[in-house]
Amino acid sequence: MSGRDVTGGDVAHASARDRRRARRHGRQRTWPAFWVFVGPFLAGLILFTFLPIVWSAVLSFFDAHNTVTPTRFVGLANYVDMLTNSDFLASLGTFSVFAVFIVPTTVAISLGLALLVHRLRFARAFFRSVFFLPAACSYVVAALIWKLSIFNGVRFGLANTVLGLFDVDQVPWLSSASPPWYWVALVTLRLWLQVGFYMVLFLAGLQRIPGELYEAAYVDGAKPGWQVFRYITLPQLRATTVAVVLLNLIAAYQAFDEFYNLMSSARGYPPFARPPLVYLYFTALGQGQDFGHGSAGAVILALLIGIVTVLQGKLFGFGRRD
């Protein structure tokens, strides 16, 4: 009996060792494949993302004109200059106006489209794809279409052609600062490009709402429509709505392609409608090539995005357990 127990114990230990050895050899065989797939992406991320971020932070403390090599240490002088620069502060004001227009409008339209598509009994996948398709379009291509075909400011442009049917004079959409008609082109372009993407996020949130909640609401006497939407649908979409607002704000801070490609011309960029990235672009890559001040502005913008994101997450309870 004792011999059999010892033999059984030896067999159990041997099989456990064999399993550990097999797992170890399995991990050793998968490591090369892991680095083949992940290595190039990780190297590109370090080389083209992390290193430029670190180097930009370093340059922000130096006087660096026409070179990315630090020359003279100036401490926080670049930051003070940027925070007291009226043009940089005006670019933040441009962003604020853009965000006021774009964030609530995007949330409302994308949520409305998601509700309509979610209620469809047929061709739901078709309409979801149709509304999402503009999100796959290049910002540069879309901006050129808006600039050359729709809001080009001449009587042959689509917008002015439609206005001409109602005997309305031609509108210089992109060249007039007063009234600022350029906001119509900028906001409609961004809406066309991103509403479909956020509609898909809201659709995913709607599909996660249990049907039993609606059944219980109807049993309790809730009326279909506004009551159900206000007390059932909207609270259940709180996390999705907060995520959409956060992503919209971050995207608004990073607005560049539509502004630069819509507003610039052969005469250069106009003195108005300059969001932060456009201003920093001309600061760092313009005639002066002031990489020190440009890097300081980029760090300020990154910190501002982080602070606003954290504050908004705290305000709306993003990530907090229900």
Side-chain angles (χ1 to χ4, degrees), residues 142-154:
L144 292 178
I145 293 174
W146 249 245
K147 181 178 182 178
L148 300 177
S149 300
I150 302 177
F151 295 101
N152 56 7
V154 299

Side-chain angles (χ1 to χ4, degrees), residues 143-250:
L144 292 178
I145 293 174
W146 249 245
K147 181 178 182 178
L148 300 177
S149 300
I150 302 177
F151 295 101
N152 56 7
V154 299
R155 65 188 182 91
F156 299 108
L158 179 60
N160 280 335
T161 300
V162 173
L163 292 178
L165 299 176
F166 301 95
D167 295 328
V168 179
D169 293 336
Q170 299 179 26
V171 176
W173 296 102
L174 302 176
S175 58
S176 173
S178 181
W181 293 114
Y182 55 86
W183 283 119
V184 177
L186 290 168
V187 171
T188 54
L189 173 60
R190 175 59 77 94
L191 288 175
W192 185 77
L193 285 167
Q194 71 179 14
V195 159
F197 172 75
Y198 295 114
M199 180 206 69
V200 172
L201 296 185
F202 277 120
L203 271 175
L206 288 171
Q207 293 170 359
R208 292 175 57 249
I209 301 177
E212 293 81 1
L213 291 178
Y214 294 105
E215 295 175 1
Y218 295 143
V219 170
D220 290 340
K223 297 179 181 179
W226 172 247
Q227 279 190 342
V228 173
F229 173 76
R230 179 181 178 184
Y231 295 106
I232 302 295
T233 305
L234 200 57
Q236 291 295 316
L237 290 176
R238 181 176 64 87
T240 304
T241 305
V242 173
V244 169
V245 172
L246 287 176
L247 292 174
N248 262 289
L249 274 177
I250 294 173

Side-chain angles (χ1 to χ4, degrees), residues 2-234:
S2 175
R4 285 197 299 270
D5 291 341
V6 173
T7 303
D10 292 341
V11 171
H13 287 302
S15 61
R17 285 197 301 270
D18 292 339
R19 287 194 297 271
R20 288 195 296 269
R21 189 179 298 112
R23 286 196 297 268
R24 186 163 55 250
H25 288 318
R27 286 195 294 268
Q28 291 174 354
R29 286 195 300 268
T30 57
W31 271 113
F34 172 80
W35 285 111
V36 166
F37 286 99
V38 177
F41 172 77
L42 184 60
L45 187 66
I46 294 174
L47 184 62
F48 298 109
T49 302
F50 292 152
L51 284 180
I53 291 175
V54 173
W55 196 245
S56 178
V58 172
L59 282 178
S60 66
F61 296 100
F62 288 84
D63 180 17
H65 283 81
N66 301 310
T67 179
V68 293
T69 303
T71 54
R72 183 172 61 88
F73 182 76
V74 296
L76 297 176
N78 289 334
Y79 290 92
V80 175
D81 292 341
M82 293 302 294
L83 291 175
T84 56
N85 189 313
S86 59
D87 293 333
F88 180 68
L89 297 178
S91 72
L92 294 178
T94 300
F95 149 76
S96 301
V97 174
F98 185 62
V100 166
F101 279 121
I102 206 68
V103 173
T105 310
T106 300
V107 173
I109 296 178
S110 57
L111 177 57
L113 289 177
L115 291 171
L116 291 175
V117 173
H118 186 66
R119 290 177 176 273
L120 289 176
R121 300 299 181 185
F122 60 91
R124 180 184 297 179
F126 170 76
F127 285 103
R128 183 174 62 237
S129 301
V130 168
F131 288 127
F132 180 77
L133 193 59
C137 181
S138 167
Y139 271 60
V140 176
V141 173
L144 292 178
I145 293 174
W146 249 245
K147 181 178 182 178
L148 300 177
S149 300
I150 302 177
F151 295 101
N152 56 7
V154 299
R155 65 188 182 91
F156 299 108
L158 179 60
N160 280 335
T161 300
V162 173
L163 292 178
L165 299 176
F166 301 95
D167 295 328
V168 179
D169 293 336
Q170 299 179 26
V171 176
W173 296 102
L174 302 176
S175 58
S176 173
S178 181
W181 293 114
Y182 55 86
W183 283 119
V184 177
L186 290 168
V187 171
T188 54
L189 173 60
R190 175 59 77 94
L191 288 175
W192 185 77
L193 285 167
Q194 71 179 14
V195 159
F197 172 75
Y198 295 114
M199 180 206 69
V200 172
L201 296 185
F202 277 120
L203 271 175
L206 288 171
Q207 293 170 359
R208 292 175 57 249
I209 301 177
E212 293 81 1
L213 291 178
Y214 294 105
E215 295 175 1
Y218 295 143
V219 170
D220 290 340
K223 297 179 181 179
W226 172 247
Q227 279 190 342
V228 173
F229 173 76
R230 179 181 178 184
Y231 295 106
I232 302 295
T233 305
L234 200 57

Side-chain angles (χ1 to χ4, degrees), residues 239-305:
T240 304
T241 305
V242 173
V244 169
V245 172
L246 287 176
L247 292 174
N248 262 289
L249 274 177
I250 294 173
Y253 269 113
Q254 297 173 342
F256 176 82
D257 292 334
E258 62 267 52
F259 279 86
Y260 185 79
N261 290 282
L262 270 176
M263 304 302 297
S264 60
S265 63
R267 297 187 298 271
Y269 199 95
F272 51 87
R274 289 193 177 192
L277 284 187
V278 172
Y279 174 78
L280 295 177
Y281 171 81
F282 285 103
T283 300
L285 300 177
Q287 294 181 350
Q289 291 192 350
D290 189 351
F291 293 103
H293 284 94
S295 298
V299 172
I300 292 172
L301 185 60
L303 292 176
L304 191 58
I305 293 174

